[in-house]
């Protein structure tokens, strides 16, 4: 439990000294809570990632971690 948050925090820490302004990602709705716990901010509503006229297969968000 919580491995997703641990991995995200590790990635944040590994890139902290690289002078990046932010990290962005498009997590699925099932992973959003792990991103929030790691310090990411959700910056969009659900994004539909399927072709027109087909049911939504994946529900994603845009999110951002600002250094």
């Amino acid at each position: 439990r919580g491995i997703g948050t641990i991995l995200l925090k590790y990635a944040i820490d590994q890139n902290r000294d690289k002078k990046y302004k932010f990290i962005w990602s498009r997590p699925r709705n099932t992973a959003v809570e792990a991103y929030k716990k790691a310090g990411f901010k959700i910056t969009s509503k659900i994004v539909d990632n399927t072709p027109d006229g087909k049911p939504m297969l994946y529900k994603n968000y845009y999110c951002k971690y600002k250094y």
Side-chain angles (χ1 to χ4, degrees):
R1 283 200 118 170
I3 190 75
T5 301
I6 292 168
L7 290 171
L8 287 165
K9 287 181 177 183
Y10 180 80
I12 290 166
D13 289 341
Q14 290 297 304
N15 290 288
R16 191 169 301 282
D17 296 335
K18 294 184 180 175
K19 311 249 189 250
Y20 295 145
K21 294 180 182 178
F22 60 88
I23 298 173
W24 72 271
S25 185
R26 286 183 62 188
R28 289 189 183 176
N29 64 327
T30 56
V32 166
E33 290 306 314
Y35 279 79
K36 287 180 182 177
K37 288 178 185 175
F40 282 79
K41 303 291 183 217
I42 305 306
T43 61
S44 74
K45 294 181 180 180
I46 290 178
V47 177
D48 183 352
N49 293 309
T50 58
D52 290 336
K54 299 203 176 184
M56 190 183 304
L57 296 175
Y58 302 113
K59 297 177 183 178
N60 293 76
Y61 294 86
Y62 285 100
C63 69
K64 185 177 188 178
Y65 179 90
K66 192 172 182 179
Y67 284 101

